[in-house]
Amino acid sequence: MSDAAQFFCFKDGSLQLVTSPPESEVVLSVADSWLADEGRVRNLQAHFSRFGDWVRQITDVCDEQLEPFFDAVREAIPNQGRWFPRIEFHGEATTPNHLFLRLREAPEQLGPITLWTYPDTDPRHNPTVKGPDLSLCLQVRRAAQMHGADEAVFLDERGNLIEGALSSIVWWRGDVLCAPDHQTKWLPSITRQEVFAIAEQMGIRTRTENARPADLVELEIWALSSLQGIRLVRDWIDLGGPVGPAKHLESFQKRLRLQLTAID
């Protein structure tokens, strides 16, 4: 494993480099990841809190066990370069150690994105937790790429938008920022929370609603993720019409970048 993709197990109070693959297939029960750019991150504690909440849903791990892991992860993230760390909880690990860090170099910053609607119902088994369906979502994204898109979008049984395979989707109706409602089974996106908080700080109205892809024709649409931040949707295959131009993008991207702070 190269320095760009190191794998660590949290054992005896410290992160220890794993030099050989596990003997059995890894069961990725929980995962969380974020961008670290020159030693700065956005809302790292929010990622730790979300990860901890998910882990406590499936096991009796307590804060006294998680906090030393989080402290070790903070110390392990390099202060130079772009990195995309991922913390993992392996629910069926063959050893008593279940917490891991995968330290990866971040891919380049990407521009506008093309979406493709996944043609079947949402295939995920646990859409509200990142980890169990991560491999499946990567496969679905590859299917989108085969159709000339960058990202796949899941719909519910009524045909309403849920989210992207590895992103959250929001849109603008005039000067109102919109997203799927809170009854939708989507991953609790930290970037979506950040974007909505920015809107509130700017005095911009927000709302949640049920919407089908065709309802978004000629609207400004964004795909959000912790890695890429805000990406403008430039095209949506089979949407039924064009997407709208960027009217609010620059100001939000600037404010999102301002939320980068040094790792504690």
Side-chain angles (χ1 to χ4, degrees), residues 42-139:
R42 297 194 321 268
N43 291 329
L44 181 56
Q45 186 56 48
H47 285 277
F48 288 158
S49 296
R50 183 173 68 170
F51 181 85
D53 289 343
W54 285 337
V55 169
R56 283 186 287 270
Q57 290 177 19
I58 61 174
T59 184
D60 58 358
V61 170
C62 61
D63 290 342
E64 287 74 14
Q65 295 168 289
L66 287 170
E67 287 303 324
F69 172 63
F70 295 150
D71 290 341
V73 169
R74 283 190 184 92
E75 294 178 5
I77 300 173
N79 288 323
Q80 295 181 335
R82 280 171 51 89
W83 298 86
F84 190 38
R86 187 172 82 194
I87 50 179
E88 304 175 359
F89 181 83
H90 298 182
E92 297 182 13
T94 57
T95 71
N97 308 300
H98 298 269
L99 295 168
F100 296 84
L101 167 66
R102 198 176 300 270
L103 187 58
R104 310 164 292 180
E105 286 187 355
E108 64 181 6
Q109 191 72 39
L110 300 176
I113 187 172
T114 297
L115 304 181
W116 167 74
T117 303
Y118 184 72
D120 298 316
T121 56
D122 187 350
R124 297 172 296 176
H125 300 290
N126 192 352
T128 61
V129 175
K130 185 175 181 179
D133 295 303
L134 187 55
S135 177
L136 173 62
C137 288
L138 288 169
Q139 294 176 30

Side-chain angles (χ1 to χ4, degrees), residues 12-240:
D12 298 330
S14 65
L15 289 168
Q16 301 184 17
L17 184 65
V18 177
T19 56
S20 58
E23 296 180 358
S24 59
E25 184 177 354
V26 170
V27 178
L28 190 56
S29 301
V30 177
D32 210 326
S33 53
W34 58 88
L35 174 67
D37 189 354
E38 301 297 333
R40 299 180 303 153
V41 300
R42 297 194 321 268
N43 291 329
L44 181 56
Q45 186 56 48
H47 285 277
F48 288 158
S49 296
R50 183 173 68 170
F51 181 85
D53 289 343
W54 285 337
V55 169
R56 283 186 287 270
Q57 290 177 19
I58 61 174
T59 184
D60 58 358
V61 170
C62 61
D63 290 342
E64 287 74 14
Q65 295 168 289
L66 287 170
E67 287 303 324
F69 172 63
F70 295 150
D71 290 341
V73 169
R74 283 190 184 92
E75 294 178 5
I77 300 173
N79 288 323
Q80 295 181 335
R82 280 171 51 89
W83 298 86
F84 190 38
R86 187 172 82 194
I87 50 179
E88 304 175 359
F89 181 83
H90 298 182
E92 297 182 13
T94 57
T95 71
N97 308 300
H98 298 269
L99 295 168
F100 296 84
L101 167 66
R102 198 176 300 270
L103 187 58
R104 310 164 292 180
E105 286 187 355
E108 64 181 6
Q109 191 72 39
L110 300 176
I113 187 172
T114 297
L115 304 181
W116 167 74
T117 303
Y118 184 72
D120 298 316
T121 56
D122 187 350
R124 297 172 296 176
H125 300 290
N126 192 352
T128 61
V129 175
K130 185 175 181 179
D133 295 303
L134 187 55
S135 177
L136 173 62
C137 288
L138 288 169
Q139 294 176 30
V140 172
R141 174 173 278 188
R142 286 192 288 269
Q145 293 168 348
M146 293 176 62
H147 286 81
D150 305 295
E151 172 70 308
V153 177
F154 294 130
L155 308 180
D156 65 18
E157 64 278 1
R158 298 166 296 175
N160 292 321
L161 173 68
I162 302 176
E163 62 189 341
L166 295 169
S167 62
S168 181
I169 308 297
V170 300
W171 55 93
W172 288 87
R173 294 197 183 277
D175 291 324
V176 180
L177 177 63
C178 305
D181 69 23
H182 293 284
Q183 277 63 55
T184 304
K185 291 185 178 180
W186 43 262
L187 193 76
S189 166
I190 291 171
T191 308
R192 170 173 151 164
Q193 294 172 10
E194 292 168 339
V195 166
F196 268 64
I198 290 171
E200 182 177 352
Q201 294 163 8
M202 296 174 67
I204 292 173
R205 289 190 298 149
T206 63
R207 76 166 180 241
T208 60
E209 62 182 19
N210 291 317
R212 300 188 178 199
D215 298 329
L216 309 187
V217 170
E218 298 186 349
L219 300 187
E220 180 178 0
I221 308 170
W222 295 348
L224 313 177
S225 70
S226 293
L227 174 60
Q228 295 292 341
I230 306 171
R231 296 179 68 187
L232 177 71
V233 175
R234 62 184 166 196
D235 191 20
W236 191 326
I237 297 172
D238 295 331
L239 182 65

